[in-house]
């Protein structure tokens, strides 16, 4: 069985996290082994880097280097081995979040991010070089004003969650640009709908790709 790599993206408050477990159950019901993981994080080292990125003030380049360092460790230690074993990897955020948050939100150079992406996710199989990307990215798209309302009633905000709504407008726009550049990999989920409707849209998007019956 070939491995399957699915990432979940969207601005803070878009509500992606609750649907990851539901999708995991759908795959397990098919007899698949599922690895649930997240970025930044997923390995002991990457989780330490996550704590720094989410809590310490730093410039955009430092942030970008740390999330890519975490991603490198995560890919090497966890994601690639799981895919090689034929497992389903469900990852709460991946590189699109870097293009959205550090690129869009912070205004960091997208060309530098592309170079880092090539370094960190490059696969060299002799004949050609490719970039390791998710097979499918579910983008939970929600109006930043609505997301801010949802977040306000939730927990204590971290460094990103406490950003103003304009920051998230730029993040959302950058997600849209990523999808426009790589339309085949993305499915846009209308995250303003009810939890049930969003859950159904997630399953449908995965079925549409032929990953679930
Ligand atoms: P998030 O995925 O929302 O987790 P939680 O639900 O526990 O808050 O938090 C991760 C935060 O990190 C989120 O605000 C986006 C940010 N982030 C980046 O800025 N760059 C990245 O490359 C990644 C993966 C995340």
């Amino acid at each position: 069985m070939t491995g399957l790599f699915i990432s979940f993206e969207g601005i803070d408050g878009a509500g992606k996290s609750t649907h990851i477990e539901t999708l995991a159950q759908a795959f397990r019901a098919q007899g698949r082994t599922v690895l649930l993981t997240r970025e930044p994080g997923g390995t002991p080292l990457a989780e330490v880097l996550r704590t720094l990125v989410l809590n310490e003030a730093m410039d955009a380049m430092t942030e970008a280097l740390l999330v890519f360092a975490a991603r490198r460790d995560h890919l090497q230690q966890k994601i690639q081995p799981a895919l090689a074993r034929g497992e389903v990897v469900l990852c709460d955020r991946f590189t699109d979040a870097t293009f959205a948050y550090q690129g869009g939100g912070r205004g960091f150079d997208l060309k530098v991010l592309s170079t880092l992406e090539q370094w960190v996710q490059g696969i060299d199989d002799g004949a050609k070089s490719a970039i390791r990307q998710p097979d499918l990215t579910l983008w939970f798209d929600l109006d930043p004003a609505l997301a801010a309302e949802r977040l306000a009633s939730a927990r204590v905000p971290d460094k990103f969650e406490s950003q103003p709504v304009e920051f998230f407008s730029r993040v959302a726009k950058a997600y849209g640009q990523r999808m426009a550049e790589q339309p085949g990999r993305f499915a846009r989920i209308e995250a303003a709908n009810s939890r049930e409707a969003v859950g159904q849209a997630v399953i449908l998007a995965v079925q549409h790709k032929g990953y679930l019956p």
Side-chain angles (χ1 to χ4, degrees), residues 88-104:
V88 177
V89 176
L90 302 183
C91 194
D92 191 346
R93 301 190 183 282
F94 195 62
T95 310
D96 299 309
T98 313
F99 281 81
Y101 281 78
Q102 280 67 50

Side-chain angles (χ1 to χ4, degrees), residues 12 16-17 38-40 50 53-54 63 67 71 92-95 97-98 101-102 155 158 160-161:
D12 287 275
K16 62 188 160 47
S17 300
R38 68 173 181 180
E39 291 216 343
R50 176 190 179 94
V53 168
L54 264 55
E63 227 169 66
V67 294
R71 183 162 301 130
D92 191 346
R93 301 190 183 282
F94 195 62
T95 310
T98 313
Y101 281 78
Q102 280 67 50
R155 58 209 165 172
D158 65 29
F160 292 104
E161 288 162 352

Side-chain angles (χ1 to χ4, degrees), residues 31-208:
R32 302 288 303 253
T33 301
V34 178
L35 172 69
L36 285 178
T37 189
R38 68 173 181 180
E39 291 216 343
T43 66
L45 172 60
E47 289 291 331
V48 172
L49 296 175
R50 176 190 179 94
T51 304
L52 295 174
V53 168
L54 264 55
N55 296 292
E56 305 293 331
M58 59 185 74
D59 83 328
M61 190 193 292
T62 308
E63 227 169 66
L65 291 169
L66 288 180
V67 294
F68 269 115
R71 183 162 301 130
R72 177 71 182 176
D73 192 57
H74 191 203
L75 269 170
Q76 300 272 96
Q77 305 293 334
K78 251 181 121 173
I79 297 178
Q80 315 239 74
L83 293 174
R85 291 191 298 267
E87 295 178 8
V88 177
V89 176
L90 302 183
C91 194
D92 191 346
R93 301 190 183 282
F94 195 62
T95 310
D96 299 309
T98 313
F99 281 81
Y101 281 78
Q102 280 67 50
R106 298 267 194 242
F108 186 65
D109 192 337
L110 296 177
K111 287 205 285 299
V112 177
L113 295 182
S114 294
T115 302
L116 291 169
E117 181 184 39
Q118 178 74 59
W119 281 3
V120 168
Q121 294 156 245
I123 314 161
D124 187 6
D125 70 356
K128 58 175 169 46
S129 64
I131 296 182
R132 164 72 70 196
Q133 294 289 17
D135 298 296
L136 171 65
T137 296
L138 298 164
W139 171 36
F140 291 72
D141 189 18
L142 183 66
D143 178 355
L146 268 176
E149 273 175 36
R150 287 188 186 175
L151 277 182
S153 57
R155 58 209 165 172
V156 184
D158 65 29
K159 194 178 95 185
F160 292 104
E161 288 162 352
S162 51
Q163 291 290 323
V165 71
E166 300 77 52
F167 176 89
F168 289 106
S169 298
R170 295 196 298 276
V171 173
K173 191 164 167 239
Y175 273 127
Q177 279 164 1
R178 275 297 264 186
M179 178 162 168
E181 285 161 17
Q182 302 175 41
R185 174 165 71 81
F186 275 86
R188 183 184 161 280
I189 305 292
E190 181 48 77
N193 291 334
S194 69
R195 182 175 293 199
E196 293 69 32
V198 172
Q200 275 175 2
V202 166
I203 299 289
L204 270 174
V206 176
Q207 287 173 333
H208 183 72

